[in-house]
Amino acid sequence: MATLNDIAARLGISKSTVSKGLSNASDVSEDLRKKIMEVAAEMGYSGRRTQKRLCVLVENMGYTEPNQFGYELIAGFTQMASAEGWVVDAVPYTKERQVHETYRDFMARGGYQGAFLLGFSLVDPWMQGEFQTVQIPTVLYDNRIPENPFMASIGCDCRGGMEAAVRHLYGQGHRRIGLLFSALDSYIVKERYNAFFSAMEKCGLEVDQDLIGLGYYVAETTRKYLPKFVERGATAILCSDDSRALAAYTECCDRRLRVPEDVSIIGFDDLPISAYMNPPLTTIRQNRLALGKCGYYALSCLLNGVDIDSILLRAPLVVRGSTGPAGAQREAS
Amino acid sequence: MATLNDIAARLGISKSTVSKGLSNASDVSEDLRKKIMEVAAEMGYSGRRTQKRLCVLVENMGYTEPNQFGYELIAGFTQMASAEGWVVDAVPYTKERQVHETYRDFMARGGYQGAFLLGFSLVDPWMQGEFQTVQIPTVLYDNRIPENPFMASIGCDCRGGMEAAVRHLYGQGHRRIGLLFSALDSYIVKERYNAFFSAMEKCGLEVDQDLIGLGYYVAETTRKYLPKFVERGATAILCSDDSRALAAYTECCDRRLRVPEDVSIIGFDDLPISAYMNPPLTTIRQNRLALGKCGYYALSCLLNGVDIDSILLRAPLVVRGSTGPAGAQREAS
């Protein structure tokens, strides 16, 4: 198959000029563009513009290692998309770049027909601006833009998961439950936060504002709040994600608090490592491989003109060793 | 391919005995059953028990004519399922039969591996009982059993649709909006009812309890409430479905009220006939073909062990001739 270099050599021009000509750039004359197109067609060039291409855009989420949250999301998505002939690129993208490039330009530049977006927060420039109206089929994981019919959502039913977690703790006698959460600048953290309140209400438990700790930085927030929670009588702590639960283990270790005898801990996500923590972490599971597959399904709906709004998976509670009866401490000592 | 009759002829027994033998019925001896199975295998019989079979169970919903609500739901479902080698039966089923047969028995009798359920109400025996715990992959349209991970839901985002409808009326100057709804014995009617209240609140409008009319029987309810609504100053009426909107047209005609000059009317569903009513009906659309396809997708997730909770499609407002500016009456007369 002919390459850009082959076309450039034949025409005696640079590769970048060929590329510009093929992508309709304005700084290539109409005559030269036509010549480039003709030679490309004659030489059988089939560039990225003729491929079916999708993009997974990742903002602030690890995805290159199997233990990172995004890994299986992308694997599931790519597995389904590849089976239907799509080429998928995973592209990390920062908040800063969003200021300098529009989403539309980014997608056009890559020749992408649709995108699956991971990890964007509510304060991201594209989230606040372009996503409200842009007409590019896009699936958001754990985000929602209800105003724009080109944007579908996928995620887990965090209400069901949170309710199962609070009921589990309630059944083990816990009444004072602390909340160790990430900052409320993301759609999904807010959802989980609200889910906690409604789960507590369903169990007839009161939320004590002194048992709520929010913050962006994992270790700092944990260090600041966990000891206070225990001092104020919390016997269990619910975390917004498994990383925070891991930090809580460390903090407990430093303070000579035993998990779960002194304090029960529940995470959210079920990262691969969570089953191997000591003790193994009780957590609310997100089936990331299935979520990635559903992400592709939702995108293929949008690409085929089906107005999909959202797909939710269940988020089951996986009970392991980090939760136990409240008051086990006193009995043990 | 051998048939039941071929096997019966070879063994010199009745066709029904062969059928019983193949389906493990208790009134066929173990010896005879074995003989039947052997002959069936030898003759290459591949009966329904070896087929991939799914069922669309329909309670109280028309589906045999293109203008009926269930028609495209079943068409979309069957189209997708057939492409993957499934045989699909559409089976009407009454409340009464649910008392005399369990869901498990019904499914086993038909050799079905999963089902798509249309039209069941909250007071149906299976909804109140067996569906809470049964372990058969089942997708419910416009119903939800959050406790059972074998049950997934599909439907439309009625909150988004209702909000678009109320905003549309608000934009045309309507402030007194009546609600003509079906009885609240179904999950989805309750959802739409709640969606109305939250949409009114978002628009800063107060709900007047005197402008709410609920009832199972379409014509009677409409006759009872519509004139009262207009008397009490309602300039627009929101209906829980297009059939009710059609009844409202008839009632307006009888009372010499013009649509939309005297009263604007909005339906829900967008039945095929709604575009051809006079005037064409403004309504909240449910894309039933896409819903049927998503129903199959959700079921195939469950059949493959993916814990899907729900799929929602968008419910866009389709603006036609049955809505107009409030107060057009006075200007026109």
Side-chain angles (χ1 to χ4, degrees):
Chain A
M1 197 178 78
T3 65
L4 291 182
N5 280 325
D6 300 333
I7 302 168
R10 166 84 77 91
L11 286 167
I13 58 178
S14 74
K15 180 180 163 190
S16 75
T17 306
V18 173
S19 172
K20 282 180 183 177
L22 290 171
S23 62
N24 257 329
S26 57
D27 54 348
V28 171
S29 75
E30 185 59 13
D31 277 357
L32 181 54
R33 195 186 65 77
K34 277 191 183 156
K35 201 178 270 175
I36 293 168
M37 296 296 270
E38 282 163 17
V39 171
E42 183 196 320
M43 295 179 77
Y45 175 77
S46 123
R48 53 163 50 190
R49 295 191 71 80
T50 66
Q51 277 182 330
K52 291 171 66 180
R53 295 181 81 85
L54 298 176
C55 176
V56 183
L57 257 174
V58 193
E59 210 269 284
N60 198 23
M61 180 191 291
Y63 65 90
T64 50
E65 304 295 325
N67 193 48
Q68 292 181 310
F69 191 84
Y71 186 85
E72 288 192 333
L73 279 169
I74 296 179
F77 181 87
T78 306
Q79 192 179 322
M80 293 278 284
S82 307
E84 299 196 3
W86 292 96
V87 173
V88 178
D89 293 340
V91 182
Y93 212 85
T94 60
K95 273 189 184 51
E96 291 68 38
R97 280 180 68 187
Q98 294 171 39
V99 179
H100 299 294
E101 184 172 37
T102 66
Y103 178 52
R104 176 176 291 282
D105 282 350
F106 166 80
M107 294 293 283
R109 187 161 57 80
Y112 301 121
Q113 276 111 71
F116 183 35
L117 269 53
L118 310 181
F120 283 70
S121 79
L122 295 174
V123 296
D124 274 32
W126 286 355
M127 284 290 289
Q128 297 193 324
E130 210 179 345
F131 286 171
Q132 304 297 319
T133 53
V134 73
Q135 299 192 355
I136 297 171
T138 303
V139 173
L140 302 160
Y141 164 69
D142 271 356
N143 267 310
R144 205 170 127 75
I145 313 265
E147 295 75 19
N148 187 346
F150 287 82
M151 299 264 161
S153 304
I154 63 146
C156 278
D157 172 30
C158 57
R159 286 190 175 262
M162 202 51 99
E163 202 179 313
V166 172
R167 277 196 199 287
H168 168 67
L169 292 174
Y170 186 87
Q172 298 206 304
H174 297 276
R175 296 297 177 266
R176 306 246 326 135
I177 300 172
L179 196 73
L180 205 52
F181 255 48
S182 160
L184 297 180
D185 65 352
S186 97
Y187 169 81
I188 195 61
V189 176
K190 276 191 187 172
E191 285 285 299
R192 291 182 192 171
Y193 186 76
N194 293 333
F196 171 72
F197 281 81
S198 95
M200 290 289 277
E201 202 187 326
K202 279 196 179 173
C203 284
L205 291 176
E206 238 172 88
V207 175
D208 180 348
Q209 291 294 334
D210 283 341
L211 298 184
I212 293 183
L214 307 173
Y216 183 76
Y217 298 100
V218 179
E220 287 77 349
T221 316
T222 310
R223 174 140 304 167
K224 179 173 169 195
Y225 290 108
L226 191 141
K228 283 193 202 166
F229 288 177
V230 175
E231 223 167 76
R232 286 169 184 158
T235 57
I237 294 174
L238 262 164
C239 304
S240 58
D241 49 85
D242 285 2
S243 308
R244 247 155 257 269
L246 188 55
Y249 274 39
T250 308
E251 191 60 32
C252 283
C253 188
D254 290 355
R255 310 253 161 197
R256 295 176 191 276
L257 292 163
R258 292 160 305 165
V259 179
E261 292 83 355
D262 299 321
V263 59
S264 285
I265 291 175
I266 296 186
F268 203 119
D269 288 341
D270 196 20
L271 288 178
I273 204 180
S274 305
Y276 305 102
M277 285 162 58
N278 181 20
L281 182 65
T282 295
T283 186
I284 298 163
R285 176 144 215 266
Q286 299 208 67
N287 184 337
R288 288 176 296 282
L289 204 61
L291 280 166
K293 290 179 180 181
C294 288
Y296 173 74
Y297 180 73
L299 189 54
S300 81
C301 280
L302 293 177
L303 287 162
N304 289 294
V306 171
D307 264 6
I308 200 158
D309 177 273
S310 53
I311 300 182
L312 278 189
L313 293 187
R314 288 179 187 267
L317 181 72
V318 181
V319 177
R320 299 200 185 100
S322 67
T323 45
Q329 175 193 11
R330 286 183 295 278
E331 286 160 33
S333 54
Chain B
M1 196 179 75
T3 65
L4 291 181
N5 280 326
D6 300 333
I7 302 168
R10 165 85 77 89
L11 287 167
I13 57 178
S14 73
K15 181 181 162 189
S16 75
T17 307
V18 173
S19 173
K20 283 180 182 174
L22 290 171
S23 61
N24 258 328
S26 56
D27 55 348
V28 171
S29 75
E30 185 59 13
D31 277 357
L32 182 54
R33 195 186 66 76
K34 276 191 182 156
K35 203 178 270 175
I36 292 168
M37 297 295 271
E38 281 164 17
V39 172
E42 187 196 316
M43 295 179 77
Y45 175 77
S46 120
R48 54 162 50 188
R49 295 194 70 81
T50 66
Q51 278 182 331
K52 292 169 65 180
R53 296 181 80 84
L54 298 176
C55 176
V56 183
L57 258 173
V58 193
E59 211 270 284
N60 198 22
M61 179 191 291
Y63 65 91
T64 51
E65 305 294 326
N67 193 48
Q68 293 182 307
F69 191 83
Y71 187 85
E72 287 192 334
L73 279 170
I74 296 179
F77 181 87
T78 306
Q79 193 179 321
M80 292 278 286
S82 308
E84 299 195 3
W86 291 95
V87 173
V88 178
D89 292 340
V91 182
Y93 211 85
T94 61
K95 273 188 183 53
E96 291 68 37
R97 282 181 68 187
Q98 293 171 40
V99 179
H100 299 294
E101 185 173 36
T102 66
Y103 178 52
R104 177 176 290 281
D105 283 350
F106 166 80
M107 294 292 283
R109 187 161 58 79
Y112 301 121
Q113 276 111 72
F116 183 36
L117 270 53
L118 311 181
F120 283 70
S121 80
L122 294 174
V123 296
D124 275 32
W126 286 355
M127 284 290 289
Q128 297 192 323
E130 208 179 346
F131 286 171
Q132 305 296 320
T133 52
V134 73
Q135 300 192 356
I136 295 171
T138 303
V139 173
L140 302 160
Y141 164 70
D142 270 356
N143 267 309
R144 206 171 127 76
I145 313 266
E147 295 74 19
N148 187 346
F150 286 83
M151 299 263 162
S153 304
I154 63 146
C156 277
D157 172 30
C158 57
R159 286 190 175 262
M162 202 49 100
E163 200 179 314
V166 172
R167 277 196 199 287
H168 168 67
L169 292 175
Y170 186 87
Q172 297 207 304
H174 297 276
R175 297 295 178 267
R176 306 243 331 134
I177 300 172
L179 197 73
L180 205 52
F181 255 48
S182 161
L184 298 180
D185 65 351
S186 97
Y187 169 80
I188 195 61
V189 177
K190 277 191 187 171
E191 286 284 299
R192 289 182 193 171
Y193 186 75
N194 293 334
F196 170 72
F197 281 81
S198 95
M200 291 288 278
E201 201 188 325
K202 279 196 179 175
C203 285
L205 291 176
E206 238 173 89
V207 176
D208 180 349
Q209 292 294 335
D210 284 340
L211 298 183
I212 293 182
L214 307 173
Y216 183 76
Y217 297 100
V218 179
E220 287 77 351
T221 316
T222 309
R223 174 139 304 166
K224 179 173 168 194
Y225 291 109
L226 190 141
K228 283 192 202 167
F229 288 178
V230 175
E231 223 167 76
R232 286 172 184 155
T235 57
I237 295 175
L238 262 165
C239 304
S240 59
D241 48 85
D242 285 2
S243 309
R244 247 155 256 271
L246 188 55
Y249 274 39
T250 308
E251 192 59 33
C252 283
C253 188
D254 290 355
R255 311 253 160 197
R256 297 177 189 274
L257 291 164
R258 293 161 303 166
V259 179
E261 291 83 354
D262 299 322
V263 58
S264 286
I265 292 177
I266 296 185
F268 203 119
D269 287 342
D270 197 20
L271 288 178
I273 204 180
S274 306
Y276 305 103
M277 286 163 57
N278 180 21
L281 182 65
T282 295
T283 186
I284 298 162
R285 174 143 217 266
Q286 299 208 66
N287 184 338
R288 289 177 295 282
L289 204 61
L291 280 166
K293 290 181 181 181
C294 288
Y296 173 73
Y297 180 74
L299 189 54
S300 81
C301 280
L302 292 177
L303 286 162
N304 288 295
V306 172
D307 265 6
I308 200 158
D309 177 273
S310 54
I311 300 183
L312 278 188
L313 292 188
R314 289 180 186 268
L317 181 72
V318 182
V319 177
R320 301 200 184 99
S322 67
T323 45
Q329 175 192 13
R330 286 183 295 277
E331 286 160 33
S333 53

